[in-house]
């Protein structure tokens, strides 16, 4: 995402989520614990806009997406979203569904790794937010449920039909999106839906440890790796290796590549600048 901005200032506070920035790590917390962090129209919009702002700033090197309390995110709020959509016309519904997809695209396209720290329920849109992250760190209480068919909608919501088969394979994805059955942590780890399974109550801590490790690393190399992983999902091999070649040639002109050689020669750890 381009770092160039217009005249709009950075948003000083966010109504529908909590943001902390420390040592290059952004922690974005969904903060409606009494509703298992169910999403509202405003929460979707805040996530979309916040990710765009953080992407432009270039100060964030890793992001942890978490939920306050005993759950990660129970999906769209039944009263505030599902009830409200029943009175919307087609144009309004299209705008809403496009916005939810923009959140997923923002997670996939932001130039820093995103780590979902999952405890308790990650259902519906909450499951897709976790799915869109680069890493899913979860504790044994975690359970994922893609509930869209359970409310009479397509299981392919918010890019789930694109992302899930690429994470767990077509067979598992078909079962999870068609039936909407919950997947508990042991099975989620077995099929590759969880990146790391922690001890109970330690998902947030472990996610932050990973985020700080990533924040101290070669940020530009991570950003380009993430971009290639997303871009090459639908490319033929010839296009992929050509894109890899041009990306590596570009990074070989960077400061971090030269810094690695200097550090290796001087027998010291590299001091990554992200340039």
């Amino acid at each position: 995402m381009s770092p160039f901005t217009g005249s709009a200032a950075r948003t000083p506070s966010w109504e529908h989520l909590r943001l902390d920035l420390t040592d290059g790590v952004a922690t974005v917390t969904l903060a409606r614990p009494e509703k298992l962090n169910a999403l509202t129209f405003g929460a979707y919009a805040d996530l979309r806009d916040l990710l765009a702002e953080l992407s432009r700033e270039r100060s964030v090197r890793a992001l942890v997406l978490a939920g306050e309390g005993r759950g990660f995110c129970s999906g769209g709020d039944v009263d505030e979203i599902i009830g409200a959509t029943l009175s919307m016309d087609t144009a309004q519904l299209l705008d809403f569904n496009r916005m939810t997809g923009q959140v997923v695209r923002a997670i996939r396209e932001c130039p820093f790794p995103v780590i979902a720290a999952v405890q308790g329920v990650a259902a519906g849109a909450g499951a897709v937010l976790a799915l869109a992250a680069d890493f899913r760190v979860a504790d044994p209480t975690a359970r994922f449920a893609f509930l869209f068919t359970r409310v009479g909608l397509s299981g392919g919501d918010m890019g789930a039909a694109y992302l899930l088969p690429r994470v767990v394979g077509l067979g598992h994805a078909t079962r999870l999106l068609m039936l909407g059955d919950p997947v508990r942590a042991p099975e989620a780890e077995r099929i590759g839906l969880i990146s790391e399974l922690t001890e109970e109550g330690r998902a947030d801590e472990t996610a932050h440890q990973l985020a700080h490790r990533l924040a101290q690393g070669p940020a530009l190399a991570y950003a380009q790796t993430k971009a290639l992983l997303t871009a090459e999902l639908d490319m033929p091999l010839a296009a992929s290796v050509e894109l890899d070649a041009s990306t590596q040639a570009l990074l070989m002109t960077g400061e971090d590549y030269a810094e690695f050689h200097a550090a290796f020669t001087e027998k010291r750890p590299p001091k990554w600048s992200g340039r």
Side-chain angles (χ1 to χ4, degrees):
M1 185 174 292
S2 171
F4 300 108
T5 62
S7 55
R10 177 181 172 187
T11 305
S13 63
W14 299 89
E15 180 180 350
H16 303 283
L17 49 82
R18 193 166 61 246
L19 171 66
D20 175 75
L21 294 169
T22 304
D23 298 329
V25 174
T27 303
V28 177
T29 305
L30 304 174
R32 296 182 77 206
E34 73 285 357
K35 292 281 190 86
L36 290 175
N37 303 312
L39 298 167
T40 62
F41 295 115
Y44 278 116
D46 272 4
L47 281 170
R48 175 199 61 196
D49 296 345
L50 171 62
L51 287 162
E53 286 194 15
L54 295 179
S55 296
R56 289 192 296 267
E57 285 185 5
R58 300 296 201 229
S59 60
V60 173
R61 294 198 167 197
L63 184 147
V64 175
L65 179 61
E68 183 178 331
R70 59 191 177 89
F72 175 71
C73 175
S74 58
D77 189 288
V78 173
D79 295 323
E80 296 194 34
I81 289 187
I82 297 180
T85 54
L86 294 175
S87 62
M88 290 182 178
D89 63 27
T90 303
Q92 292 171 317
L93 291 168
L94 185 56
D95 284 342
F96 165 63
N97 283 285
R98 282 175 172 163
M99 176 175 68
T100 66
Q102 287 164 358
V103 175
V104 170
R105 285 190 59 187
I107 293 173
R108 293 304 317 146
E109 295 175 2
C110 62
F112 42 76
V114 176
I115 305 144
V118 182
Q119 79 288 339
V121 65
V128 184
L129 292 181
L131 175 65
D134 301 290
F135 301 89
R136 284 161 297 285
V137 176
D139 82 0
T141 68
R143 60 189 189 278
F144 301 82
F146 298 86
L147 298 174
F148 307 108
T149 60
R150 296 286 188 96
V151 300
L153 297 177
S154 165
D157 196 29
M158 297 172 62
Y162 178 88
L163 291 170
L164 192 58
R166 290 163 170 80
V167 173
V168 302
L170 180 60
H172 290 305
T174 300
R175 172 171 58 93
L176 299 183
L177 295 183
M178 284 275 194
L179 300 179
D181 291 340
V183 179
R184 297 189 179 275
E187 183 187 1
E189 182 184 34
R190 178 178 62 81
I191 65 177
L193 186 54
I194 289 176
S195 309
E196 181 174 354
L197 184 61
T198 74
E199 296 177 3
E200 187 167 343
R202 298 197 60 186
D204 187 73
E205 176 188 351
T206 303
H208 278 89
Q209 289 173 349
L210 176 57
H212 283 285
R213 173 185 172 183
L214 291 164
Q216 294 165 8
L220 187 57
Y222 291 155
Q224 292 304 308
T225 301
K226 177 173 180 172
L228 292 180
L229 284 168
T230 298
E232 294 183 18
L233 286 173
D234 298 313
M235 281 187 180
L237 177 61
S240 294
V241 296
E242 179 62 23
L243 182 58
D244 288 350
S246 58
T247 300
Q248 294 295 52
L250 178 65
L251 291 176
M252 285 174 177
T253 67
E255 294 177 15
D256 279 348
Y257 187 64
E259 167 61 14
F260 166 77
H261 185 263
F264 182 83
T265 302
E266 297 167 17
K267 296 181 172 56
R268 59 171 176 81
K271 298 176 182 178
W272 305 114
S273 66
R275 300 177 181 274

